[in-house]
Amino acid sequence: MSTSQAAAAGVAVVTGASRGVGRGVAEALGAAGMTVFVTGRSTTDGASRIGDTPLHGTIHDAAAAVTAAGGQGIAVHCDHGDDAQVKALFERIEREQGRLDILVNNALCIDDSLIDPGPFWTKPLAQADMFGVGLRSNYVAAWYAAPLLLQAGRALVAFTSSYGAGCYMHGPAYGAQKAGCDKMAADMAVDFEGTGVAAVSLWLGVQRTERTEIAARLRGDAYGDFMARSESPQFVGRVIHALWRDPDRAALTVRTQIVAELAQRYGVRDEDGREPPTWRNILGAPCAFHPARVS
């Protein structure tokens, strides 16, 4: 597919896409023919680690995977904790593409201690960095992206969130970050009302990523059960693409959505033909936010 054909199929940004969820989502959008700007800090394979175990993947690898899938992958080194770099990212998109169809807010600063047992005060204060890259960074990216999304006329801001927004999962910093994503998406949806731009926060199931596979090996216990019914990041990306194409997507912004349930709506299955389950009966359901304005 040529660059012009990929642009015609839509333009997307996936933040924090060097590996894991972001990379898989970007690859799925590429498979749908989109031009995908892949952002992150990783440019050297194995530079990031969990303990003594290296994590593989770079923005360049991810962009190449997008292109190999059928789209046009563009790697952009961007520290989402640096507003100037985020501004430069969207200025580049404006120059090169003139619009933006999908923004996937996925970047998150994860400390290695995230899944360690124990109360929050026994873990590093660095867990609070999720409020910077993970919550504030989502706001900044959407702020700079908004003019380009409005130019597209039919656009989507998707936040990758978690059941941890509603139940106890990985401690208070993680839970508050995810709950903040849900409320931020709902309020942005109110501001975007009538513009053709939708904003939705998505609860992902357990993801089949290198990070979660390492966690399963280290922890065993319940992780093994969850991993047996996990989702691939590409599955999440296909659901996001289907949501963007849905003419009634704005109606889904009243509440946070569960990816597995949206997949049933759109007839999306995972790579192996499975239908990943919803965990609402075990981990809880998203709340609906009231769209009334008080200002």
Side-chain angles (χ1 to χ4, degrees):
M1 176 177 289
S2 69
T3 300
S4 60
Q5 288 174 316
V11 181
V13 172
V14 183
T15 71
S18 302
R19 64 182 69 86
V21 172
R23 174 172 173 156
V25 168
E27 185 176 339
L29 296 179
M34 300 191 80
T35 295
V36 186
F37 287 80
V38 175
T39 77
R41 296 183 300 170
S42 296
T43 57
T44 302
D45 187 65
S48 296
R49 313 177 73 85
I50 295 180
D52 295 329
T53 305
L55 288 171
H56 299 288
T58 69
I59 54 173
H60 304 295
D61 296 337
V66 170
T67 301
Q72 180 70 29
I74 301 172
V76 181
H77 181 269
C78 181
D79 179 350
H80 283 273
D82 184 336
D83 293 356
Q85 292 187 37
V86 178
K87 178 183 179 183
L89 164 68
F90 290 101
E91 287 177 341
R92 174 178 175 179
I93 295 169
E94 183 174 23
R95 288 194 307 272
E96 296 181 3
Q97 307 295 332
R99 77 178 202 277
L100 179 63
D101 299 284
I102 300 176
L103 167 63
V104 181
N105 269 325
N106 174 71
L108 178 63
C109 183
I110 299 178
D111 186 80
D112 287 353
S113 66
L114 181 67
I115 65 168
D116 289 349
F120 74 90
W121 61 87
T122 65
K123 300 179 183 180
L125 188 57
Q127 286 206 2
D129 291 345
M130 286 185 282
F131 302 137
V133 176
L135 193 56
R136 185 183 185 279
S137 63
N138 288 345
Y139 185 90
V140 173
W143 192 88
Y144 280 114
L148 292 168
L149 295 163
L150 292 167
Q151 288 180 43
R154 179 174 65 86
L156 173 68
V157 183
F159 294 72
T160 56
S161 186
S162 163
Y163 290 86
C167 70
Y168 184 93
M169 184 182 292
H170 306 322
Y174 181 84
Q177 187 269 329
K178 294 305 183 186
C181 284
D182 291 357
K183 186 61 166 68
M184 187 181 294
D187 286 359
M188 285 183 179
V190 173
D191 284 348
F192 280 128
E193 186 176 4
T195 67
V197 180
V200 184
S201 192
L202 304 173
W203 281 10
L204 282 56
V206 177
Q207 297 294 294
R208 291 197 299 275
T209 67
E210 186 179 16
R211 182 180 288 275
T212 56
E213 288 173 356
I214 292 170
R217 289 200 302 270
L218 294 176
R219 287 284 302 278
D221 53 57
Y223 263 84
D225 294 335
F226 281 119
M227 288 297 289
R229 292 177 281 178
S230 60
E231 302 167 356
S232 73
Q234 290 82 1
F235 169 76
V236 177
R238 289 196 290 275
V239 171
I240 289 173
H241 187 263
L243 176 60
W244 170 61
R245 291 177 58 84
D246 186 345
D248 296 323
R249 66 194 175 283
L252 300 173
T253 64
V254 177
R255 68 168 67 244
T256 298
Q257 299 293 322
I258 295 174
V259 166
E261 294 177 0
L262 285 178
Q264 294 173 3
R265 173 187 176 102
Y266 300 127
V268 175
R269 291 180 177 244
D270 213 336
E271 296 166 328
D272 50 10
R274 290 188 310 114
E275 296 183 61
T278 175
W279 297 92
R280 70 162 57 231
N281 292 332
I282 299 173
L283 302 179
C287 68
F289 296 100
H290 198 287
R293 293 175 180 259
V294 179
S295 58

